[in-house]
Amino acid sequence: ELENLELEFPLEDERKAGKREYLQKCAELKIVPIALFIAKMEVEHINLNHHGMGALGARALAAALMVNDKISSLNLGDNWLGDKGCSAMAEVLSVNQTLTSLSLSSNRIGLPGAQALAIKLLVNSKLAELNMRSNELDDRAAAQLAASIASSTSLTRVDFSYNHFGEEAGKAFGAMLADNSVLLEFSLRWNGLGNNGSAALCEGLKRNHLLNRIDISWNGISDDGAKMVGAMLCENSALTHLDLSHNAIFMNGALALAAGIEKNESLRHLELGHNPMGMTQHTAAQQDLTGIEALVKAIRLRETFSSVGLTEVQEGASVTRGRASRFDPQQPAGHYILDVSSTWDLFLAEKLWARMLANEGEVWTNLTLDSAKVNLLGADGKVAWELPAKGVLEFDYMDWKLGLETSFRFELAKPADLSLAKKLFERAVATEGEACTSVRLNDLPFAVGSPDKLPISGVLKTVYVVTRPIEKLSVPFELNLGVASERDVCLELWRRELTTSTDAWRAVELRPADTEAFAPLNHHADWRFPEVPVGGTVKLEYTALLSVKRHDRGICFSAPMSEFKFARLHETLALEGLSDFERWSLIKMAAALNYVNSLQAKALVDAMQYRKGKLDAAVLLFSRAIDPKQYGDVVLESLGTDSDRQALVDVMHPLQEAADKD
């Protein structure tokens, strides 16, 4: 059959693609051809990773590539090529004049394969990118590979990450970099260069005037190696990207790096995360922020940085929280939690504050200081607040051009949800800079025509996006409480406000039936849920808080219900005389619109009075718990019988097993 297949490709273009040669070699080796390769032989880029072709498959592939003049980029990652398969691909490099990018990652290639590849690279003048990530390369292979890279006139990007290179490899690659005038990017991530290997590499980088990106993270580099990196930065004027994360750099190493950064004018992107730079390197390590402070001072002086990564540097501050962990001053939009008593966080706060004041349309929104709401503007509408000397700031940095958003879920069979949905869609249509996006009805994409023609049943979801300078989305309601249907709408809006973290009633006023004037109303204090007065008119602004990140980002990334809103919901559930039916309705709404942690779930289960209600609540809330592995330990004790506890366990185990597999 294979011999018959080859006869189907007589055209000149097909012969140049190598189909005939490939099928002949497959027949000779008695292996099954890869259909994807046959189909894609005449395109520029082919991804054949995870095909398990082995050494024989590589030989068949090589037969085609010897004559193919179409393919310029080929990914053969994770194919068990081994040394023999690598040798077959090396032969291609001595003949093929089209291939410019080759990935042989995760193929169990050792010294023989590397040697064969290095020899053929000496005669290749076309290959620009070589990926040998996650193989079995060690110091024995380094010298020949380094010599081939040094002599290449085309290689600009080389990835040797996740191999076994050590000190001797560092020396070989350092010597190569000293004289190389072609290579632009070089990754040695997750090897074993250590201090001596990295020192040799840095000696080469001092003399290199072209390489702009190097990754030496995960290489066991400590303070001595960091000192050599710092010295290199004083002399190198080409590097723009440096990754030193996940090493063992302590306070003294941080000081050396800071000295180098102060004198370096080329770096734009710096990754230093997961180094204990806030600690001294002693048997009994102690916190010392001197190195961190020196780094921040050096970064202050270099206005050219585009991004800096300082995740988990053990300085005891907040660099692991939000956008503070990896700061990009060119794209600052995001959620921040900053402890201004820490050096790094104060630096970020000052940078963001100065940028906001200098750029119209950029602002801090939802600002709190030690959890207390802060108003930036004075009575004249101008910024009157100043950065504090201490405390924890939490805020969204907003560029109005990018927009804020909030998400909604409406059960359209409920009159209040249908009314609110109509008002939101009407507002989006009428207001420039606002839109309802990602609209789905019963989890299927839904195109909204006229807001008046929304369906009267089903679950409607949408993300409301605003690119105007407002922090809250507001929808007005005026309801005649003498009319039963409008009274029902009022009660449903109240339920929704109680169970949604982002929603609130504002500017609430009530005009009793026997008066003409409206008076301010605090419905939580003046009314007793779920009793709405019969008669009179209530006016309110139903508001939803906007933010730079979506409220519902899935169970793995969403926050639990806010403490303030949960406390109010729990207080309502504890009202004397409230029926279990009403409690269950509120818990179901809260579960549909929020995520919870296990302690919150336990409190909601405890609020139910009867056995069945407790079990139903426990089962429902498990699917919304952000910490499912702790759920059983916390919630099971709230169930009064062994059979109920077993019923919850039966529900939890299959879901937990699925989550663990994911």
Side-chain angles (χ1 to χ4, degrees):
E1 291 181 6
L2 294 178
E3 290 176 353
N4 291 333
L5 277 174
E6 68 167 311
L7 296 177
E8 297 175 8
F9 308 109
L11 299 179
E12 181 67 20
D13 285 346
E14 290 167 340
R15 286 199 296 271
K16 288 182 179 179
K19 291 180 181 179
R20 179 188 300 274
E21 289 78 5
Y22 179 62
L23 291 171
Q24 285 178 340
K25 183 59 72 171
C26 286
E28 176 188 328
L29 298 173
K30 298 181 180 180
I31 60 174
V32 178
I34 298 173
L36 179 62
F37 182 55
I38 294 174
K40 300 289 186 180
M41 274 185 173
E42 297 183 36
V43 301
E44 288 188 26
H45 309 285
I46 300 184
N47 185 351
L48 293 177
N49 61 345
H50 313 305
H51 274 71
M53 65 180 65
L56 294 181
R59 287 173 58 189
L61 210 68
L65 294 173
M66 290 288 191
V67 297
N68 183 284
D69 63 356
K70 312 291 184 183
I71 301 169
S72 62
S73 174
L74 178 61
N75 183 354
L76 297 179
D78 189 22
N79 269 293
W80 289 73
L81 300 187
D83 292 323
K84 291 182 178 179
C86 182
S87 298
M89 296 311 301
E91 291 296 330
V92 172
L93 297 180
S94 64
V95 177
N96 188 288
Q97 296 296 305
T98 308
L99 199 62
T100 59
S101 177
L102 176 63
S103 175
L104 299 175
S105 63
S106 303
N107 272 300
R108 299 174 178 253
I109 298 169
L111 179 61
Q115 289 175 329
L117 189 67
I119 291 171
K120 298 305 179 182
L121 282 173
L122 292 172
V123 296
N124 181 282
S125 61
K126 298 296 182 181
L127 194 68
E129 299 180 7
L130 176 63
N131 184 348
M132 296 290 288
R133 176 189 177 101
S134 299
N135 280 294
E136 299 172 0
L137 308 179
D138 57 24
D139 286 355
R140 296 173 300 167
Q144 284 182 275
L145 288 171
S148 297
I149 297 171
S151 66
S152 174
T153 59
S154 60
L155 272 176
T156 59
R157 179 182 295 176
V158 174
D159 187 348
F160 285 158
S161 59
Y162 295 89
N163 278 287
H164 309 298
F165 291 124
E167 178 180 331
E168 293 303 315
K171 294 177 181 178
F173 294 137
M176 176 271 292
L177 289 174
D179 298 320
N180 188 282
S181 59
V182 180
L183 196 62
L184 297 175
E185 299 181 16
F186 192 31
S187 176
L188 288 168
R189 180 184 180 89
W190 196 287
N191 278 283
L193 298 182
N195 289 329
N196 292 335
S198 60
L201 201 69
C202 288
E203 286 300 321
L205 286 170
K206 287 180 181 179
R207 294 165 52 189
N208 186 286
H209 304 294
L210 189 67
L211 189 80
N212 57 45
R213 185 188 295 261
I214 191 164
D215 185 347
I216 49 175
S217 58
W218 295 96
N219 265 283
I221 300 170
S222 62
D223 285 354
D224 289 342
K227 291 174 183 177
M228 296 303 296
V229 175
M232 176 272 294
L233 290 175
C234 293
E235 299 184 34
N236 183 284
S237 60
L239 277 181
T240 59
H241 294 67
L242 172 62
D243 192 338
L244 271 170
S245 61
H246 293 278
N247 279 294
I249 302 171
F250 288 80
M251 182 265 290
N252 287 331
L255 289 172
L257 290 173
I261 291 169
E262 280 191 16
K263 296 183 179 180
N264 185 282
E265 297 183 356
S266 63
L267 272 183
R268 299 293 183 269
H269 303 270
L270 178 65
E271 290 290 344
L272 296 174
H274 301 278
N275 281 291
M277 295 185 295
M279 310 292 289
T280 57
Q281 190 176 11
H282 300 298
T283 303
Q286 296 179 339
Q287 189 176 67
D288 188 332
L289 304 186
T290 306
I292 298 292
E293 292 168 353
L295 276 171
V296 172
K297 178 183 176 183
I299 293 169
R300 284 178 186 272
L301 295 174
R302 297 269 73 85
E303 295 292 335
T304 55
F305 274 108
S306 295
S307 65
V308 178
L310 280 173
T311 306
E312 295 284 2
V313 291
Q314 296 188 21
E315 68 157 319
S318 60
V319 296
T320 63
R321 299 199 294 266
R323 294 279 280 123
S325 63
R326 192 177 186 281
F327 179 55
D328 184 347
Q330 306 304 317
Q331 298 178 336
H335 185 74
Y336 291 84
I337 304 175
L338 303 176
D339 182 353
V340 293
S341 62
S342 97
T343 305
W344 174 247
D345 285 15
L346 177 60
F347 166 65
L348 295 188
E350 291 174 346
K351 281 282 188 183
L352 293 169
W353 184 252
R355 178 177 174 125
M356 183 198 72
L357 295 177
N359 292 276
E360 185 177 357
E362 298 185 18
V363 68
W364 292 14
T365 66
N366 308 323
L367 173 63
T368 63
L369 174 61
D370 292 331
S371 300
K373 179 70 176 177
V374 173
N375 187 5
L376 287 177
L377 305 180
D380 59 357
K382 297 181 179 179
V383 175
W385 187 72
E386 295 182 356
L387 281 177
K390 61 180 180 179
V392 176
L393 296 171
E394 183 170 2
F395 60 92
D396 291 315
Y397 192 96
M398 178 59 203
D399 182 344
W400 296 116
K401 297 185 292 296
L402 301 178
L404 290 176
E405 63 183 43
T406 188
S407 54
F408 288 96
R409 179 184 185 276
F410 302 110
E411 296 182 26
L412 297 178
K414 295 179 178 179
D417 280 21
L418 180 59
S419 178
L420 181 57
K422 286 182 177 180
K423 288 177 177 287
L424 280 174
F425 281 102
E426 288 170 354
R427 173 179 174 137
V429 171
T431 310
E432 185 177 356
E434 299 184 15
C436 288
T437 65
S438 305
V439 183
R440 301 181 73 85
L441 180 64
N442 298 327
D443 286 329
L444 295 174
F446 180 71
V448 179
S450 170
D452 292 333
K453 296 181 180 179
L454 285 176
I456 59 174
S457 64
V459 176
L460 184 72
K461 297 178 181 179
T462 186
V463 177
Y464 200 101
V465 178
V466 176
T467 56
R468 301 189 303 111
I470 58 173
E471 295 185 17
K472 295 183 179 70
L473 189 64
S474 179
V475 177
F477 281 88
E478 184 169 333
L479 301 168
N480 183 353
L481 302 183
V483 178
S485 61
E486 296 196 26
R487 195 162 58 248
D488 290 343
V489 169
C490 182
L491 178 57
E492 281 298 324
L493 289 175
W494 194 0
R495 287 194 180 103
R496 186 180 183 93
E497 182 216 19
L498 281 170
T499 56
T500 309
S501 288
T502 57
D503 296 8
W505 289 14
R506 305 290 181 192
V508 188
E509 294 181 322
L510 176 67
R511 184 182 66 194
D514 56 352
T515 64
E516 296 295 326
F518 281 91
L521 171 72
N522 182 346
H523 58 298
H524 292 294
D526 299 339
W527 293 355
R528 187 180 187 279
F529 185 86
E531 298 170 3
V532 176
V534 179
T537 302
V538 65
K539 290 197 303 186
L540 62 96
E541 295 286 333
Y542 193 93
T543 65
L545 189 66
L546 297 163
S547 66
V548 295
K549 60 182 180 181
R550 197 166 301 176
H551 172 63
D552 187 346
R553 292 173 293 141
I555 198 166
C556 296
F557 301 103
S558 296
M561 192 173 184
S562 69
E563 292 183 11
F564 173 77
K565 293 302 292 280
F566 182 80
R568 175 156 285 171
L569 172 62
H570 190 253
E571 179 183 306
T572 303
L573 292 172
L575 288 173
E576 186 177 351
L578 194 67
S579 69
D580 249 24
F581 176 79
E582 188 62 61
R583 291 189 177 96
W584 175 239
S585 296
L586 289 175
I587 290 173
K588 281 200 301 182
M589 287 188 68
L593 298 168
N594 302 273
Y595 294 95
V596 295
N597 58 40
S598 293
L599 290 175
Q600 290 176 335
K602 183 182 188 306
L604 296 178
V605 171
D606 289 340
M608 298 296 292
Q609 292 184 340
Y610 297 105
R611 170 187 166 187
K612 184 179 185 305
K614 288 180 180 291
L615 178 58
D616 289 345
V619 170
L620 172 68
L621 293 168
F622 176 68
S623 65
R624 304 294 288 177
I626 62 172
D627 51 354
K629 292 186 178 179
Q630 287 75 47
Y631 192 86
D633 294 337
V634 175
V635 177
L636 281 172
E637 65 182 47
S638 295
L639 302 179
T641 68
D642 289 342
S643 61
D644 286 351
R645 286 189 283 270
Q646 186 59 50
L648 178 58
V649 169
D650 291 343
V651 170
M652 289 166 50
H653 280 179
L655 293 178
Q656 284 181 331
E657 289 173 2
D660 290 341
K661 288 180 181 178
D662 291 341

